[in-house]
Amino acid sequence: MKSKIYTLTVNTSERTQLLDITSKVEQVVKQSGVKEGMVHIFNPHTTAGLTINENADPDVASDILMELDKMVPLNDGYRHVEGNSAAHIKSSLFGVSLTVFVTGGRLVLGTWQSLYFCEFDGPRQRKVLVKVIE
Ligand code: ZN
């Protein structure tokens, strides 16, 4: 019975931000004891997302956020009264889940890849659910 769902807490500090959660997910994989399988990561929020992208140059993350703001402006005559439609749209563009292979108890990622929690309506305390499957 290794089917537990782990909950990670992510504290974001900006309105929009890409936060590297790779080491947190790796810790969960280690804790689960699963050596060969896959890990599923789910973001249960409607104004945040998940993605995999480059970890070597932090300018990549800021370029992504900069261009996203051009594609989906913060204010654009949206109807949603809460005022955070841009964040909802970005969440749907990025998606809310990731699946990564696990082998030898480690995540299978490309050399420059990291897992990112994408904050689009922060700063907030967020949760990320992680399940490791054998
Ligand atoms: Zn809203």
Side-chain angles (χ1 to χ4, degrees):
M1 274 288 284
K2 286 172 180 167
S3 60
K4 184 177 184 242
I5 296 172
Y6 295 82
T7 302
L8 301 177
T9 301
V10 178
N11 290 300
T12 63
S13 56
E14 308 288 338
R15 183 178 61 82
T16 63
Q17 186 178 13
L18 262 57
L19 234 116
D20 192 334
I21 58 167
T22 311
S23 60
K24 287 185 175 209
V25 173
E26 271 171 346
Q27 260 184 303
V28 169
V29 171
K30 198 173 176 185
Q31 235 181 301
S32 76
V34 172
K35 298 291 178 207
E36 302 298 322
M38 47 180 62
V39 59
H40 198 73
I41 304 126
F42 181 75
N43 153 39
H45 304 285
T46 61
T47 56
L50 292 168
T51 195
I52 296 177
N53 216 306
E54 175 169 331
N55 57 24
D57 180 1
D59 284 342
V60 172
S62 50
D63 283 348
I64 288 171
L65 293 172
M66 183 179 75
E67 289 306 302
L68 260 182
D69 272 340
K70 291 181 194 166
M71 291 165 61
V72 188
L74 190 57
N75 299 300
D76 200 20
Y78 302 117
R79 292 181 179 186
H80 178 48
V81 291
E82 208 187 2
N84 60 356
S85 275
H88 288 295
I89 293 164
K90 289 172 180 176
S91 172
S92 277
L93 285 175
F94 273 58
V96 294
S97 67
L98 298 171
T99 301
V100 177
F101 299 127
V102 172
T103 192
R106 307 214 46 186
L107 299 177
V108 181
L109 290 169
T111 310
W112 309 112
Q113 286 183 321
S114 273
L115 314 182
Y116 286 93
F117 180 84
C118 311
E119 177 60 81
F120 298 129
D121 193 25
R124 294 193 197 204
Q125 183 169 84
R126 301 289 203 170
K127 283 183 184 356
V128 176
L129 308 181
V130 180
K131 183 161 178 159
V132 191
I133 299 155
E134 205 155 27

